[in-house]
Amino acid sequence: MAAGAASGGSATTDTYKEARTWLLLPAWVTLTILVLAPVIMMLIYSFLTKEFRGGVIWEFSLAAYDQFFFDRGLFGDDPPKIEWTYITIFWRSIWQAGAATLLSLLIGFPTAYFIATRSENMRPIWVFLITIPYWVNLLIRTVSMKFLLRDQGPLNDFLMSIGLIDSPLHIVNTNFAVQLGLFYSYLPFMVLPIYAAVERYNFALSEAAADLYASKWTTLRRVLLPAVKPGVFAGCILVFVPSMGSFLAPDLLGGAKNFMIGSLIEEQFKGNAGNWPFGAAASMILLTMVLIILMFSARQQAKADKAGG
Amino acid sequence: MASKQFNIKSYTGFKAITLLCLVVLYAPLVVVTIYSFNASQSLTNWEGVSLRWYADVFTGPESGKFKTAAKNSFFIAIVAATVATTIATLAATGMVRGGRFRFRTVSFGLISLPLMVPEIVLAVATLIFFNSIGFERGLLTILLAHIAFCIPFAYLPISARMQGIEDSYEQAALDLYATKRQAFTKILLPLMMPGIISGFLLAFIVSLDDFIITNFVKGAGVETLPTAIFGSVKQGIKPNIMAISTMLLSVSIVMVTISYFVSKSDNTK
């Protein structure tokens, strides 16, 4: 998002100061009506009573949040216990997103570093190669991944033909398949900010460390890593946040046992069995978590900017 | 000295990981592309190269469904990208050339809101919104939702481009008694064209690719390519889906490549 600021050039000017309001009006109106108002309406719906065939009755109720956190027995009159079903699904989503983020970091950091240390003409080509798959339809990418990883799929065929394994690996419908799918979905988000940070890094610092007899790995850990930490942090946030709410990877690669928030929410709005207020409440909880993470990361970023001068 | 610097920068294994990364990114796409040319009815056996599944997409039993879906997809993508790009161009002019003002941060927050809200949440919110105002779901609801989330994708390359254009060109025009409108349409707009084209193409791809939001706000019976593909895949991956996927991924790759080269071209010199 900071691409504009990084590209340099002139700062903002006030050539069109008088027309400013008119220029911005269409964006304000469109986004207020089609994004802001819907989110507020969703907040309201999460406090309404459910209509049994989908939709809501306009009556204030805390039932959706209550159902999320508490178990009051079959008839609703038992003393409330903590309801673990949905908390478990959220916890699994966080865990899966965390694992996918770690995987992206382990592969993404060396990749970003490698690209950033290429010659100046080669760098854009590498970046381009890494970003192309991101622009291919997420659904198609996820389906392709499933096709590749299937028990009778090309990957297993290949591994068996070279004699590495005797029987097919069962990858689809496991947690690992979901992590792999998420990794595949959002990897460029990890590579790009780290790449940008390493590209700005002054390698004279590494030279200095080497001159003082630091080993290469010490230099990486103690000199480079602290300098590019904001990029690493940004990359982790950019992978973690969309992973947590993803729907396609868990749905297509995970199967029923590996349910995540996205599927839980989707289920509430499909067919007649849905519970709209509950779906709205689950969405609100997810949105709140995401906004807290984003605010926290903005504060970290501001701190890093200050420290950097 | 030169060799020493090279040593300091390079770490053993990083190149291998980068290559592994590329393999992981491209392998699924390459495999699906190859298998889309498989002559066999089965997914596992390879029986030689053929275009039969491409023919199946256009003339087979599901061709009617796919044709309608493709028409809907491209119609929505073209209209949504055009509207979003227009809104984004105006907004970028206001933001980058509008001086300092109080609501600048708020405006930027509003424009990037669709990127911050998780897609599934935006889908739920949009569905609820249309439902609450009694707006019947159909092609129009998909179109409106797409316009909204395409705006930031169009905005970012356009504003990046504008920040790179010095305002001396417009100032010169204004000094020569051009009106503000002329300075905008005759000077700024042509200079911004690479950014605008690249923004349009990105918005187009994002709209063409969207599944989650479309799936929520589409009415019963209205399908776009991704929702039609998803419906098909739920019953198992079939070879014709691979042919359609290959075509769709080629469209995306061509568009991104054009966008990349257009945004790299520099017409201010």
Side-chain angles (χ1 to χ4, degrees):
Chain A
M1 255 168 268
S7 71
S10 64
T12 61
T13 64
D14 57 3
T15 317
Y16 297 101
K17 200 174 162 188
E18 299 80 18
R20 188 172 61 211
T21 309
W22 294 109
L23 288 168
L24 283 165
L25 200 62
W28 283 338
V29 171
T30 318
L31 292 166
T32 304
I33 294 178
L34 291 173
V35 181
L36 202 56
V39 171
I40 292 166
M41 195 52 91
M42 181 176 74
L43 175 65
I44 296 172
Y45 263 46
S46 72
F47 289 107
L48 295 178
T49 309
K50 81 166 177 181
E51 159 79 62
F52 280 92
R53 282 159 296 138
V56 288
I57 303 167
W58 280 83
E59 229 168 76
F60 177 81
S61 158
L62 284 172
Y65 291 95
D66 191 84
Q67 182 188 343
F68 192 94
F69 292 108
F70 299 109
D71 175 13
R72 292 175 193 276
L74 196 55
F75 301 104
D77 48 7
D78 290 359
K81 287 180 296 191
I82 301 278
E83 165 72 73
W84 289 105
T85 315
Y86 307 116
I87 297 174
T88 308
I89 291 174
F90 265 65
W91 175 242
R92 184 184 301 129
S93 305
I94 293 172
W95 201 88
Q96 291 282 64
T101 307
L102 191 66
L103 194 61
S104 306
L105 182 63
L106 289 178
I107 304 276
F109 185 87
T111 305
Y113 183 91
F114 179 79
I115 296 174
T117 50
R118 294 306 93 196
S119 75
E120 214 153 307
N121 337 346
M122 286 306 287
R123 279 179 228 161
I125 296 170
W126 278 101
V127 169
F128 185 55
L129 278 177
I130 294 285
T131 39
I132 283 185
Y134 170 73
W135 294 107
V136 171
N137 197 318
L138 182 58
L139 172 65
I140 291 179
R141 276 187 290 154
T142 314
V143 171
S144 309
M145 198 71 165
K146 185 173 184 174
F147 178 75
L148 181 69
L149 300 178
R150 258 163 352 119
D151 287 3
Q152 296 87 28
L155 180 70
N156 273 317
D157 281 356
F158 174 71
L159 290 179
M160 287 202 289
S161 74
I162 60 168
L164 213 58
I165 51 173
D166 300 326
S167 56
L169 299 170
H170 302 290
I171 305 176
V172 174
N173 292 347
T174 63
N175 280 334
F176 180 65
V178 178
Q179 289 156 17
L180 214 55
L182 293 174
F183 159 81
Y184 187 38
S185 307
Y186 305 115
L187 182 71
F189 291 164
M190 180 65 83
V191 175
L192 294 179
I194 299 178
Y195 160 76
V198 176
E199 202 191 21
R200 279 197 305 270
Y201 172 71
N202 183 358
F203 275 96
L205 295 172
S206 292
E207 296 245 5
D211 288 345
L212 295 168
Y213 301 106
S215 76
K216 269 169 84 173
W217 290 102
T218 312
T219 311
L220 179 77
R221 215 157 36 87
R222 305 278 293 272
V223 183
L224 175 81
L225 219 48
V228 300
K229 210 171 75 188
V232 173
F233 191 72
C236 290
I237 297 281
L238 287 175
V239 173
F240 185 80
V241 166
S243 294
M244 212 165 51
S246 69
F247 167 72
L248 285 172
D251 192 74
L252 290 170
L253 293 166
K257 270 192 305 185
N258 305 293
F259 224 58
M260 279 171 62
I261 310 173
S263 315
L264 175 69
I265 293 174
E266 204 252 4
E267 216 176 43
Q268 308 306 321
F269 295 92
K270 285 287 133 195
N272 291 332
N275 180 342
W276 283 39
F278 183 70
S283 304
M284 275 316 298
I285 295 169
L286 173 62
L287 181 61
T288 311
M289 279 163 49
V290 167
L291 290 182
I292 290 172
I293 295 172
L294 289 179
M295 256 150 58
F296 172 73
S297 80
R299 258 194 27 209
Q300 290 288 315
Q301 213 72 38
K303 243 192 236 164
D305 285 351
K306 232 184 222 166
Chain B
M1 201 61 200
S3 73
K4 188 187 167 195
Q5 184 164 6
F6 179 73
N7 266 332
I8 278 187
K9 280 193 178 184
S10 80
Y11 286 87
T12 352
F14 277 24
K15 185 176 186 178
I17 293 176
T18 307
L19 295 178
L20 173 77
C21 184
L22 285 182
V23 169
V24 173
L25 285 176
Y26 285 92
L29 303 180
V30 171
V31 164
V32 161
T33 305
I34 293 172
Y35 274 82
S36 73
F37 293 104
N38 190 355
S40 165
Q41 176 90 44
S42 107
L43 284 174
T44 27
N45 303 329
W46 178 262
E47 284 176 15
V49 178
S50 117
L51 287 173
R52 101 176 238 215
W53 297 112
Y54 288 86
D56 184 80
V57 168
F58 290 103
T59 55
E62 289 186 298
S63 63
K65 186 177 95 182
F66 287 136
K67 253 179 227 162
T68 322
K71 246 186 248 164
N72 287 342
S73 267
F74 280 95
F75 169 75
I76 290 167
I78 290 169
V79 178
T82 309
V83 176
T85 309
T86 311
I87 293 174
T89 306
L90 297 175
T93 313
M95 291 284 282
V96 181
R97 293 285 202 259
R100 299 194 149 272
F101 57 102
R102 263 170 66 198
F103 299 113
R104 201 155 188 278
T105 317
V106 177
S107 300
F108 186 71
L110 192 61
I111 290 169
S112 32
L113 197 59
L115 297 178
M116 290 192 286
V117 177
E119 214 185 346
I120 188 113
V121 175
L122 192 56
V124 168
T126 314
L127 167 66
I128 284 178
F129 176 72
F130 285 133
N131 179 268
S132 70
I133 59 171
F135 207 112
E136 183 136 358
R137 277 183 270 165
L139 212 53
L140 188 59
T141 48
I142 305 178
L143 183 60
L144 288 172
H146 279 220
I147 289 173
F149 72 71
C150 281
I151 290 176
F153 285 95
Y155 177 84
L156 292 175
I158 295 174
S159 84
R161 175 83 192 174
M162 200 182 306
Q163 276 165 340
I165 300 171
E166 283 179 45
D167 75 327
S168 48
Y169 301 101
E170 297 141 76
Q171 292 307 331
L174 293 173
D175 287 346
L176 296 166
Y177 302 105
T179 62
K180 286 257 161 101
R181 184 180 292 269
Q182 283 172 325
F184 179 74
T185 54
K186 295 246 164 80
I187 309 290
L188 188 58
L189 220 47
L191 286 175
M192 286 207 316
M193 221 17 113
I196 293 175
I197 293 173
S198 136
F200 174 86
L201 292 175
L202 293 190
F204 182 88
I205 300 174
V206 170
S207 165
L208 195 65
D209 285 359
D210 178 74
F211 167 73
I212 294 174
I213 293 174
T214 311
N215 190 35
F216 270 75
V217 302
K218 79 189 178 72
V222 181
E223 302 282 356
T224 64
L225 275 177
T227 64
I229 292 174
F230 185 77
S232 236
V233 165
K234 277 272 139 181
Q235 287 130 37
I237 304 174
K238 279 171 286 178
N240 63 346
I241 290 301
M242 287 196 265
I244 248 191
S245 300
T246 305
M247 288 189 273
L248 209 50
L249 78 87
S250 317
V251 170
S252 298
I253 290 175
V254 168
M255 291 273 200
V256 175
T257 312
I258 296 174
S259 162
Y260 172 76
F261 284 109
V262 167
S263 67
K264 255 185 59 170
S265 73
D266 192 349
N267 60 359
T268 56
K269 298 219 165 85

